[in-house]
Amino acid sequence: MSSQKLEVITSPHVAEMSPLPENTLIGMCNPLLDIQTTVEKSFLDKWGLKENDAILCDDKHNDMFTELTKDFTVEYIPGGAAQNSLRVAQWILNSPNRTVFFGAVGKDQYGELLATKAKEAGVNVQYQINETVKTGTCAALINGTHRSLCAHLAAANTFTQDHLQKEENQKIIEQAKYFYVTGFFITVCPPAIIQLATHSAEFNKTFTLNLSAPFISQFFFDKLSEIIPLVDVLFGNEDEAAAFAKAHGWETTCVKEIALKAAALPKKSTKPRLVVFTQGPEPVVVVEGDKVTEYPVTRLPKEEIVDTNGAGDAFVGGFLSQFIQGKGIEASVACGSYAAQEIIKKHGCTVPSVCKYH
């Protein structure tokens, strides 16, 4: 029989107040409940999954979710890439409601759990509620220090642009100065992304995008290419950078070269594009304009590495927590690396009760 836990570790708020106004940063992505467990490599092979990869599930994976909840000890953890990043940013900022999240969930227990945990973490959750489709889930399968993600979007896939047109959400958008959207959301509602990105450019705000997974560049490149000219800050890892380069026809796998080429792509505003590519334990590559900088990463001892799931999301959360305060790139990268290391020491994208970064 399986043993299933619905409780989640979240961070208590610290009384210290941030100088940032409320609703400074808006995140938009797919809110998913991670169904996390440890599996053998043979399980990944059985379901056609790869280590350290993220995919959208198809019909053949339906029975996999049934098998997981029936035969494995699973843990339910609030997930979804941008929502993870915002929870981490809030943990570091120590002041609730500096960030806002848009995404779609079902009217069910999982949706309520996601909302509760995100609010506990300090995120101002503004979900679009779908009364007929269930909340999305993601199988987060841990094998050693590797993780494989297989997402069943469900309600998350039903987000519509009219949610942003609501009067209360229009006010939030007007308040915000920074926007963070993941590549995953390109599969759901590109018009909503374009709306936020266009607003950001028009009012000289900052729009940031994550490449998210190789399959976004491989299969949704046309939509991605429509958004890139509006992107002020582009995030990704080395595998996502390689897929982005291949989709462009750039014959290089050098992360620094790809970052330079990505920064030089056409842009609608005169603000130089910032490109930030992580490489696991290797240096973070940052390009601002035509300047390349590498920021070394402190390697964790192998025995401290518990789970790499959520490390990329945590890096972005840490980075943005400083960036939206006007801190420099070096400080933002340092905080991103700190957050990623804290997440790697725990299962899932969960944070310690105390943030020691301050």
Side-chain angles (χ1 to χ4, degrees):
M1 294 295 292
S2 65
S3 168
Q4 301 180 11
K5 295 184 285 183
L6 283 171
E7 65 271 15
V8 183
I9 302 169
T10 52
S11 59
H13 293 311
V14 178
E16 175 192 341
M17 288 301 292
S18 164
L20 282 176
E22 289 191 351
N23 306 332
T24 292
L25 169 64
I26 287 177
M28 189 165 66
C29 182
N30 303 319
L32 304 173
L33 190 67
D34 286 352
I35 301 175
Q36 181 167 288
T37 191
T38 300
V39 299
E40 298 294 329
K41 175 107 174 23
S42 57
F43 184 89
L44 299 180
D45 295 339
K46 174 182 176 181
W47 296 104
L49 302 175
K50 300 175 185 175
E51 294 176 334
N52 296 329
D53 197 14
I55 66 166
L56 295 177
C57 76
D58 52 35
D59 290 343
K60 73 179 181 184
H61 294 111
N62 288 342
D63 290 342
M64 180 190 73
F65 281 86
T66 303
E67 183 178 341
L68 284 174
T69 54
K70 181 183 175 186
D71 298 336
F72 288 78
T73 298
V74 300
E75 187 172 5
Y76 292 92
I77 299 175
Q83 192 166 238
N84 285 342
S85 296
L86 295 191
R87 289 193 296 115
V88 170
Q90 284 291 164
W91 171 64
I92 295 165
L93 290 168
N94 292 329
S95 189
N97 300 329
R98 306 303 112 176
T99 68
V100 185
F101 181 80
F102 291 135
V105 298
K107 190 175 183 180
D108 52 29
Q109 181 191 10
Y110 285 177
E112 290 172 6
L113 178 67
L114 278 177
T116 298
K117 296 305 177 184
K119 289 173 184 174
E120 284 177 2
V123 180
N124 178 4
V125 175
Q126 298 295 326
Y127 290 148
Q128 184 176 35
I129 309 293
N130 188 313
E131 299 199 359
T132 58
V133 183
K134 68 180 183 179
T135 296
T137 51
C138 179
L141 307 175
I142 311 303
N143 174 241
T145 59
H146 306 290
R147 65 95 178 98
S148 183
L149 304 178
C150 185
H152 182 225
L153 297 184
N157 201 38
T158 68
F159 187 92
T160 53
Q161 188 180 2
D162 60 355
H163 186 63
L164 301 183
Q165 316 298 357
K166 288 185 174 181
E167 185 179 352
E168 60 269 32
N169 292 336
Q170 281 289 303
K171 287 179 180 176
I172 289 170
I173 292 167
E174 288 168 12
Q175 285 179 286
K177 295 290 186 285
Y178 295 84
F179 302 87
Y180 174 60
V181 179
T182 66
F184 293 127
F185 203 67
I186 291 172
T187 74
V188 173
C189 192
I193 303 174
I194 294 292
Q195 178 181 330
L196 291 187
T198 302
H199 167 88
S200 179
E202 183 180 349
F203 293 95
N204 197 31
K205 298 178 179 182
T206 299
F207 182 82
T208 72
L209 181 79
N210 201 313
L211 293 174
S212 295
F215 81 85
I216 300 298
S217 290
Q218 291 164 353
F219 304 116
F220 297 89
F221 185 67
D222 288 348
K223 292 295 183 185
L224 177 60
S225 296
E226 288 178 34
I227 298 162
I228 289 293
L230 294 161
V231 174
D232 299 307
V233 184
L234 182 68
F235 294 103
N237 65 25
E238 71 273 37
D239 295 332
E240 295 150 10
F244 187 66
K246 188 173 182 180
H248 274 285
W250 301 338
E251 295 190 0
T252 180
T253 56
C254 172
V255 174
K256 286 187 281 188
E257 284 184 36
I258 297 168
L260 277 166
K261 287 178 178 289
L265 287 170
K267 195 168 183 298
K268 290 199 173 173
S269 76
T270 56
K271 193 186 300 181
R273 180 180 291 117
L274 183 68
V275 177
V276 183
F277 286 157
T278 59
Q279 305 182 89
E282 301 302 320
V284 178
V285 173
V286 176
V287 170
E288 187 174 22
D290 58 359
K291 180 188 173 189
V292 184
T293 308
E294 291 184 271
Y295 295 93
V297 173
T298 303
R299 286 177 181 261
L300 276 181
K302 193 171 182 180
E303 59 272 17
E304 288 190 41
I305 299 175
V306 174
D307 171 14
T308 57
N309 184 28
D313 301 339
F315 176 87
V316 171
F319 184 99
L320 290 175
S321 75
Q322 304 306 296
F323 196 71
I324 66 176
Q325 296 182 76
K327 305 285 180 71
I329 293 170
E330 185 173 359
S332 299
V333 170
C335 190
S337 295
Y338 162 79
Q341 290 199 345
E342 290 299 312
I343 292 299
I344 287 170
K345 295 174 186 176
K346 299 170 72 67
H347 281 295
C349 195
T350 53
V351 295
S353 58
V354 177
C355 176
K356 297 178 180 177
Y357 188 72
H358 305 288

